[in-house]
């Protein structure tokens, strides 16, 4: 395909042989990028000849001064010579700076506006001797003056001819001076010949300029063709079929026949049309397509782009475009040059790089790039009244557990089976894999939300059915987020974002379900972003603090430990509840940073407690997964605070055992080796790993408040039995037990009677006490002796 384009470049119509006179004389602007380069070449040629021109003018001025010196007027001659010399020095210094100082050349580039005034001033300097001293000069001096004057005019027709306005200004001024001087002599013949001479010089200037511009254009065009061929070779991998060029105003200046055919126009009819308007006449495509916005932004900001896919012809075709801006020597943009191709069919089927770049190599499904393009296409068709558009995001549940326990090989096979089931269930729908265990469906023929709900339920049922991979029987699930155009978005970005928010809401509410997008989800996401921003600032300016809740001995009620709880006082929001900002900390990936701060601060403050109570710090599964990092933070916190390791309790929940991660197990063993006490929090509420308890990794378990509250009430034998079984297990394993959520005297008495060694709850103090006063609290008053109520059978 590139060879065809190369032939197209080599056989394309050349730039017209004769440059337009108005363009040659800098009156009309160049019609294309090549014209701009020719014009710049004309100016550069004149600048290069400035030293020679100045030298000739100085020599001629010296000859003229020597001829006029005998007639007197020495002061006036010296003044004229001084001005002449000063002018020449200034011109030479500017040329020197243009050559030696790129920054100066970029700020003050040579142009017709900067060239004409000095040329006109130089010609006026030659007029001064003729008007001031010609009459008083002897005939021999007059002849020399006329010869010098017209010799300079003839020389200017050559040295300044690359820029005709400059040469004609010089010739015209000198000719007028000659006419004035000859009219004083009364030489009619000379007066008649002078205009003819000026006309010949004008013709010579224009002829020289045309020859120079023609040769320069031919040279630049030859070089340009070589550059075009290099560009085509460079973009060969994309299967480029078309060539295009734009002027600085983004109007088309060259179009290959292939592009013209694709547009259904002739190349001549496209020249001069605005490229952006041609691609997107009413701005409809840019409102939907990321690719179109990318190209428009790149064209307007002079940034190159490559292989950007855009929907064309009202979404009926897909084109891939690449281009790079052209600049003159001063860095000013003078146009664009690029290639393109029609990828409508190849992006969906085929075996070339275009297809490969748009499909997932493992499952064969569409990848994120193709899903985005298909979504843009569907949105454009919906706007044209040719169908509907909806988006489903499918996230697999428990897939990470398969990868972690059985390996990535089994995980990959499972993903391929999921892809097969999705294509089977959603027949006629484009299915893609966005990455990891997330899949997407672009639906263009749905009748409404009821049909989408039915499809979502069928997908969840199909993906939740057992899988047989090798010798392994696997069970996973699926959660789905759904967004529908136009109510949930009119561009692919907004529709994907809406589906993603719906998926997040479904996963948060109940895995194995589906949610449609609702506006409150976007509002909640925005609120969470604002909260996250405030939270990051709070970390920097010290708005976070710790409060401590006492843990007491069940019988003496003596404080034996305090649990450190994170608090946030916002200057505007006030006290932010932990259940509001802790999830934001986890989602934002700040749990490690915040957890490390809590660890250091709790150890520092506990080291100053006079009662030497232990301090309990909650540790998340994400911190444990960091392995040696957490161990290092614990060692650093203990070392910097001087707190003995046995006074630090690290509380973890049973969720850490879900993946049976060897890193987590190793981290727990290292922490126990340091000497810190490990506490299993909310015991009985999750995945109870009795092996870890039997191995002695934990020193204490904490019974969740839901069990302690119910066990103290009549009519709850199940909860009482659970508490008793936990206590029996703890006694057998020699573990301490803390009952959480103790709020009444009766609950405290009942848990004590059942054998709980430690109690924690509002009865003994709320976690609102500033850290600096934690150890100054009075000991909780002893609970009055109370016989526990008998429980109903």
């Amino acid at each position: 395909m590139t060879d065809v384009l190369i032939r197209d470049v080599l056989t394309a119509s050349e730039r017209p042989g004769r440059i337009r006179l108005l363009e040659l004389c800098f009156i009309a602007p160049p019609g294309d990028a090549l014209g701009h380069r020719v014009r710049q070449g004309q100016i550069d040629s004149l600048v290069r000849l400035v030293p020679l021109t100045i030298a000739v003018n100085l020599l001629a001025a010296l000859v003229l001064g020597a001829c006029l010196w005998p007639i007197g007027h020495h002061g006036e001659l010296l003044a004229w010579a001084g001005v002449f010399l000063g002018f020449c020095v200034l011109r030479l210094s500017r040329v020197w700076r243009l050559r030696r100082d790129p920054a100066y050349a970029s700020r003050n580039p040579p142009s017709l506006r900067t060239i004409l005034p000095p040329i006109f001033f130089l010609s006026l300097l030659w007029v001064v001797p003729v008007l001031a001293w010609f009459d008083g000069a002897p005939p021999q001096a007059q002849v020399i003056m006329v010869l010098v004057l017209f010799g300079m005019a003839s020389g200017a027709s050559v040295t300044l001819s690359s820029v005709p306005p400059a040469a004609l200004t010089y010739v015209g001024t000198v000719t007028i001076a000659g006419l004035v001087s000859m009219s004083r002599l009364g030489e009619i013949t000379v007066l008649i010949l002078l205009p003819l001479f000026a006309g010949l010089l004008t013709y010579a200037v224009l002829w020289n300029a045309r020859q120079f511009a023609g040769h320069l254009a031919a040279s630049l065009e030859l070089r340009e063709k070589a550059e075009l061929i290099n560009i085509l070779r460079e973009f060969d991998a994309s299967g480029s079929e078309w060539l295009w060029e734009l002027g600085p105003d983004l109007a088309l200046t060259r179009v290959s026949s292939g592009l013209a055919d694709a547009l259904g126009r002739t190349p001549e009819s496209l020249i001069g049309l605005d490229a952006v308007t041609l691609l997107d006449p009413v701005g409809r495509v840019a409102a939907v397509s990321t690719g179109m916005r990318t190209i428009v932004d790149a064209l307007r900001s002079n940034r190159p782009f490559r292989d950007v896919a855009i929907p064309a012809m009202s979404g009926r075709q897909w084109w891939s475009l690449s281009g790079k801006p052209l600049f003159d020597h001063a860095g000013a943009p003078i146009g664009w040059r690029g290639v393109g191709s029609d990828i409508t069919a190849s992006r969906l089927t085929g075996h070339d790089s275009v297809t490969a770049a748009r499909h997932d190599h493992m499952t064969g499904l569409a990848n994120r790039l193709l899903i985005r393009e298909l979504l843009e296409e569907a949105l454009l068709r919906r706007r044209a009244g040719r169908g509907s558009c909806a988006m489903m995001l499918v996230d697999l549940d428990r897939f990470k557990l398969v990868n972690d326990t059985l390996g990535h090989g089994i995980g990959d096979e499972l993903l391929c089976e999921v892809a097969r089931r999705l294509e089977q269930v959603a027949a006629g729908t484009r299915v893609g894999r966005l990455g990891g265990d997330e899949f997407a469906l672009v639906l263009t023929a749905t009748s409404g939300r009821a049909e989408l709900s039915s499809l979502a339920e069928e997908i969840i049922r199909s993906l939740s059915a057992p899988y047989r991979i090798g010798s392994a029987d696997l069970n996973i699930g699926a959660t789905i987020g759904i967004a529908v155009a136009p109510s949930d978005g009119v561009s692919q970005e907004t529709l994907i974002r809406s589906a993603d928010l719906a998926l997040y809401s479904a996963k948060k509410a109940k895995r194995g379900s589906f949610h449609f997008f609702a506006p409150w989800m976007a509002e909640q996401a925005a609120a969470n972003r604002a909260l996250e921003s405030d939270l990051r600032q709070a970390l920097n300016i010290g708005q976070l603090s710790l409060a401590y809740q006492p843990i007491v001995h069940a019988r003496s009620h003596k404080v034996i430990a305090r649990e450190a709880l994170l608090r946030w006082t916002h200057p505007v929001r006030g006290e932010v509840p932990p259940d509001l900002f802790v999830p934001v900390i986890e989602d934002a990936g700040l749990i490690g940073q915040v957890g490390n701060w809590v660890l250091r601060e709790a150890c520092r403050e506990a080291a100053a407690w006079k009662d030497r109570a232990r301090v309990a710090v909650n540790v998340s599964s994400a911190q444990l997964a960091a392995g040696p990092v957490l161990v290092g933070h614990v060692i650093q916190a203990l070392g910097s605070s001087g707190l003995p390791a046995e006074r630090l309790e690290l509380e973890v929940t049973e969720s850490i055992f879900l993946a049976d991660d060897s890193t987590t197990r190793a981290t727990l063993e290292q922490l126990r080796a340091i000497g810190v006490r490990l506490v299993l929090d909310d015991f009985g509420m999750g995945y109870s790993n009795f092996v870890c308890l039997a191995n002695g990794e934990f020193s204490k378990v904490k019974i969740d408040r839901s069990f302690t509250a119910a066990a103290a009430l009549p009519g709850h034998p199940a909860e009482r039995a659970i508490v008793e079984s936990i206590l029996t297990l703890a006694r057998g394993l020699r573990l301490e037990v803390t009952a959480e959520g103790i709020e009444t005297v009766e609950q405290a008495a009942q848990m004590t009677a059942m054998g709980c060694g430690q109690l924690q709850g509002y009865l003994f103090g709320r976690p609102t006490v500033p850290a600096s006063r934690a150890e100054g609290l009075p000991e909780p008053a002893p609970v009055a002796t109370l016989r526990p109520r008998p429980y109903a059978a």
Side-chain angles (χ1 to χ4, degrees), residues 47 50-51 90-100:
V47 173
V50 165
L90 287 175
R91 295 306 299 161
L92 286 173
S93 65
R94 169 163 166 77
V95 171
W96 185 88
R97 289 193 68 185
L98 287 173
R99 291 181 178 178
R100 303 285 182 175

Side-chain angles (χ1 to χ4, degrees), residues 228-239:
L228 287 173
I229 292 173
N230 288 335
I231 287 179
L232 295 179
R233 297 291 188 195
E234 178 185 350
F235 292 124
D236 186 32
S238 65

Side-chain angles (χ1 to χ4, degrees), residues 655-677:
S655 61
I656 65 170
F657 302 118
L658 283 175
D660 195 20
D661 188 4
S662 59
T663 301
T664 299
R665 297 285 299 277
T667 303
L668 292 175
E669 292 176 3
Q670 292 174 37
L671 291 172
R672 187 165 59 94
I674 294 172
V676 301
R677 296 165 57 87

Side-chain angles (χ1 to χ4, degrees), residues 48-177:
R48 284 195 301 271
L49 290 175
V50 165
L52 176 61
T53 303
I54 292 298
V56 172
N57 275 269
L58 285 173
L59 180 60
L62 182 62
V63 171
L64 188 61
C67 291
L68 295 177
W69 188 263
I71 67 172
H73 309 290
H74 294 162
E76 296 174 358
L77 273 172
L78 289 174
W80 173 79
V83 172
F84 201 102
L85 181 62
F87 169 80
C88 292
V89 170
L90 287 175
R91 295 306 299 161
L92 286 173
S93 65
R94 169 163 166 77
V95 171
W96 185 88
R97 289 193 68 185
L98 287 173
R99 291 181 178 178
R100 303 285 182 175
D101 188 350
Y104 174 80
S106 178
R107 293 193 307 270
N108 304 282
S111 64
L112 189 65
R113 183 172 51 84
T114 62
I115 287 173
L116 280 185
I119 294 296
F120 180 66
F121 185 75
L122 179 62
S123 62
L124 288 181
L125 286 176
W126 284 111
V127 170
V128 170
V130 175
L131 297 180
W133 305 306
F134 185 82
D135 293 340
Q140 183 181 2
Q142 289 179 339
V143 171
I144 292 174
M145 290 178 68
V146 172
L147 290 175
V148 169
L149 203 61
F150 286 101
M152 295 303 299
S154 300
S157 67
V158 177
T159 58
L160 302 179
S161 62
S162 62
V163 181
L168 294 177
T169 296
Y170 193 94
V171 169
T173 305
V174 171
T175 300
I176 292 172

Side-chain angles (χ1 to χ4, degrees), residues 15-32 35-36 38-39 42 164-165 206 209-211 213-214 217:
R15 181 181 170 88
R18 288 180 61 84
I19 301 175
R20 293 182 303 147
L21 182 61
L22 293 179
E23 186 178 335
L24 186 69
C25 293
F26 288 65
I27 297 174
D32 54 16
H36 281 277
V38 169
R39 175 163 294 184
Q42 291 176 268
L206 296 177
R210 192 177 294 281
Q211 292 298 310

Side-chain angles (χ1 to χ4, degrees), residues 30 42 174 259 330 624 631 779:
Q42 291 176 268
V174 171
L259 179 55
L624 279 172
V631 176
E779 294 290 342

